[in-house]
Every structure is written in C-alpha cells, then in structure tokens.
Amino acid sequence: MKRKKPTIHDVAAKAGVGLGTVSRVLNDHPAVRPETRARVLRAMEELGYAPNPHARRIAGGRSYTVSVLLPFVATEFYRRLVEGIEGVLLEQRYDLALFPILSLARLKRYLENTTLAYLTDGLILASYDLTERFEEGRLPTERPVVLVDAQNPRYDSVYLDNRLGGRLAGAYLARFPGPIFAIAVEEEPDRAFRRTVFAERMAGFQEALKEAGRPFSPDRLYITRHSQEGGRLALRHFLEKASPPLNVFAGADQVALGVLEEAVRLGLTPGRDVRVLGFDGHPFAEEAGLSTIAQPVEAMGARAAQLLLERMRGYQGPPREVRFEPVLVERASTGTPPAALYVP
C-alpha cells in the first residue's frame, strides 16, 4: 500500500501549533518565535514533509528562489562562495539560481530588466559591480540586492580587506633574507569585468615592504594570468634575475602552486631555495604545504545570504558594509622565518 504523503495538517498536529503558524514558517515570516520555528521545522523533517513550491509561489507571490550573478562557476573561489550562500538559504528553504556571466555577450543579456535573474525574490551580485551600466547607478530591480566580494554605497556589501592581506604578505616576506619578487594576476581589459582586488593586494604588499625598509623595484613584479602555468613562467623569469634563495609572493594560490611545482621540477627546495606565499587559503593550499593569506570565502557567502534574507523579510535600513579580514597561514613553502627581522 502506497504511503500517504504528510500534509500541512500533519505538521501542525505534530508540532502542536495551528495551521497559520506552519504557514508563517513556510513563508519565513519574522513574527514566528525561534523556538516555535525550530519545532515546526523538526516536525517537517521527522514527517518527511516537503512543501509544494508552486503552491507557495501562488499563496505568497514569491518565487522562493534567490539569484546569484557571478563571473564563473568552475573556480575554487566561486565554488566556496556558493557553498557559503547555499548553506544559509537552504536552511530557510530557498532555492538558488546561478547566473554565470562568462562573457560580454552574456553580460548584455543580464542588462535587461526582464531577465530571470531579476525576477526572483532577491539577488546576490558577486565580484563585479555592474551598477555603473545603469541609470543612477542602480540595478534594474526593486528586489533586494547584496554585493559580495565587491562594494557599492547603494547596496549592502560584503567584502575582504585585500589591501590588508597584501600588507600581511609584505611584512611577512620582509623578515626573510634574499630578494623579494611578486606575481600579479592580470586584470581583465574590458571595464565590465575589471576587478580591483589583485591591484589592492599588490598595493598593500608594496606599502608594507617600504615600511620595512625594503622598497620594491618594478622589475621584480611579474604579471600573468590566473593559472599554474603563469606561476611556472614567473619563477623562471625570477631565476634569470637572481640566484636562490628567492622570496615570492603570488597574488593567488593557484599561481603560487605553479611556482611550487616549477621549483621542485628545477631541483630547488621550497621553503629554503624558494619561499612561496600565496593568497586565498583554498583547501588545496594545505595539501601542497603552501603558506598563504587566507580569506574566509564561505563565511563571506553566508553573511551575504543573511543580509539578503533580512532585506527580503522587510529590513529597510541604510546600506550596510561587512568587512572581513584575511589571516596569514604559515606552512612548509616559506620555511621558518628568522627570529629577528631581516636587515638588508
């Protein structure tokens, strides 16, 4: 005999509440006390109750879906960012719709106010601030919008202090003897895809070196694409200018990984002949023994989702800024720094 699907009446009876309370929980109404909400959600889980999303849309005039507009999906950074966003939204029974920009042609589609990305209950815009492409600097939607990995004074913004991360990197490598080199990630030539995070990292890096009495020469900077191959090419370039030991700051972990691989291939010892410091704190950095400036990507995504939910529940306050700070994580790729600061 086929088991009958549990209904909203079953949930109400098991949780010991009225139908209206269950409905308010399903619609994420702020008037429900946390302990009551938890009891209703527990009853749903125990019964295996799954609300009909179409019925919810009809009853509440909502899509129960949040759009995430992001540059790419197949990178470690955006995988982690989406994981943080999704973890919060799933708890509130919201679906996630990803809209990767990928190219200028696709971007033009997202500039139309009829695109599906603007028709969901809210929008999270990752990395690229597209507001300057619209009149008065506002996106073509009345739905709540939150920026993550970007800043805009008109919207709630969640971002990392990349300049501080660069300063941490510079102050750390200044403690080691030997020449200091840096690898900058090439910025996109098209203004629509331009980001400032890598430039901010390098600016902070050079500031810290100058303060430590080790000014940075432009000929020690190598600009390359965001790839391991770029890191391999950079190390070869640096070895033409100086003999080991070298100290290398790479603006991204993926590039730093290429430096490590090339050092090993050339018979050099990471942490002694070539000291390598990355930026991002991706999981593969730990596996590779890569020292890095780590950013809390999942936490940034989760905070962006929380801000958006608050807006969707009716928060009307002024735009908020949430600033995250990176941290230095030391591993084998940089060895052990001297007890005292290096004096050139």
Side-chain angles (χ1 to χ4, degrees), residues 63 71 98 150 168 205 212-213 240 245 279 300 323:
S63 67
L98 298 181
L168 291 174
F205 178 70
E240 292 176 358
F279 198 118
M300 290 165 59
R323 170 182 165 272

Side-chain angles (χ1 to χ4, degrees), residues 175 336-342:
R175 299 170 63 182
T336 304
L341 292 179
Y342 171 71

Side-chain angles (χ1 to χ4, degrees), residues 1-21:
M1 182 177 178
K2 188 175 181 180
R3 183 181 176 184
K4 182 181 177 182
K5 289 185 178 181
T7 67
I8 189 173
H9 296 272
D10 299 322
V11 173
K14 188 172 184 63
V17 298
L19 291 177
T21 299

